[in-house]
Amino acid sequence: MKKSGALPELLEALEEFLARGLPQAEVTTDYPWEQRRLPLDRAVVWLGVEKITALGDGFAPYLGEEKGTAAQVAGREVEVTLRLEILHRQDGNVCHRVFGDLCQRLLLEDGRPRVRELSCGGAAFDRESGAFRLACRGVLRGVLAQSEKGAPIREIRVERQGGPAGPEE
């Protein structure tokens, strides 16, 4: 089932991108808490959003028109903190090897998203999931944008902090 909205679409695109480059792991956005849902011989990379920071001023500054249409585009620059968890039922070292492959994929390869940093802690056995677990974080920047079909902009108004800009006297 395809999820709608900017963040679900971002996660879905990252999931597909990582799955193509990490054939030794199963990549998912559905958290596999239960041991029975984890494969015996493959790592699982879970992908989610931990935090979003909106940068700059208020939402919906005008960004222009969508190419080839009259749709107006508005958006805001954001910084997204991704949470990735790598799980493996038998070997914590596998988690670290997969993290190295993840770094290669997200930081160095062509067509990658704009990930600025990746970090991880130590792998430890997690009783609840019945597997070794390595928690990782990644930070990426982007623009959340939305387009609206409608009439083109007819007026742009510039205001000073004290009120509407009028003629200088």
Side-chain angles (χ1 to χ4, degrees):
M1 172 199 264
K2 201 160 185 142
K3 300 167 188 155
S4 66
L7 288 176
E9 288 174 12
L10 168 70
L11 287 175
E12 189 174 283
L14 281 171
E15 180 181 6
E16 290 171 11
F17 177 77
L18 291 175
R20 284 192 309 270
L22 300 172
Q24 75 280 25
E26 184 178 319
V27 180
T28 183
T29 56
D30 298 323
Y31 197 86
W33 279 108
E34 302 156 3
Q35 181 177 358
R36 64 182 167 76
R37 292 183 61 197
L38 296 173
L40 282 173
D41 58 344
R42 292 179 72 205
V44 172
V45 176
W46 173 77
L47 179 58
V49 172
E50 183 173 285
K51 177 178 142 184
I52 300 173
T53 304
L55 308 170
D57 295 332
F59 189 76
Y62 179 68
L63 297 176
E65 289 186 358
E66 222 172 279
K67 215 174 201 178
T69 71
Q72 299 171 22
V73 180
R76 185 156 187 199
E77 187 179 6
V78 294
E79 185 173 85
V80 179
T81 302
L82 298 171
R83 177 154 178 107
L84 300 102
E85 293 189 16
I86 304 168
L87 299 113
H88 193 275
R89 285 176 69 172
Q90 298 174 341
D91 190 353
N93 292 324
V94 169
C95 297
H96 281 285
R97 284 195 295 275
V98 170
F99 178 71
D101 295 340
L102 197 67
C103 290
Q104 173 74 29
R105 186 84 173 129
L106 289 174
L107 296 172
L108 301 172
E109 290 186 9
D110 289 336
R112 65 184 172 79
R114 293 181 176 171
V115 174
R116 293 185 323 131
E117 65 183 66
L118 285 170
S119 63
C120 73
F125 191 79
D126 179 62
R127 285 182 191 239
E128 194 168 353
S129 63
F132 287 92
R133 185 173 142 270
L134 178 65
C136 313
R137 283 187 178 75
V139 177
L140 64 92
R141 286 180 95 151
V143 174
L144 284 180
Q146 64 184 22
S147 63
E148 270 185 38
K149 294 189 186 223
I153 293 178
R154 293 198 169 108
E155 177 183 343
I156 296 177
R157 187 175 191 180
V158 178
E159 292 186 8
R160 288 187 284 191
Q161 225 171 357
E168 294 287 324
E169 293 185 35

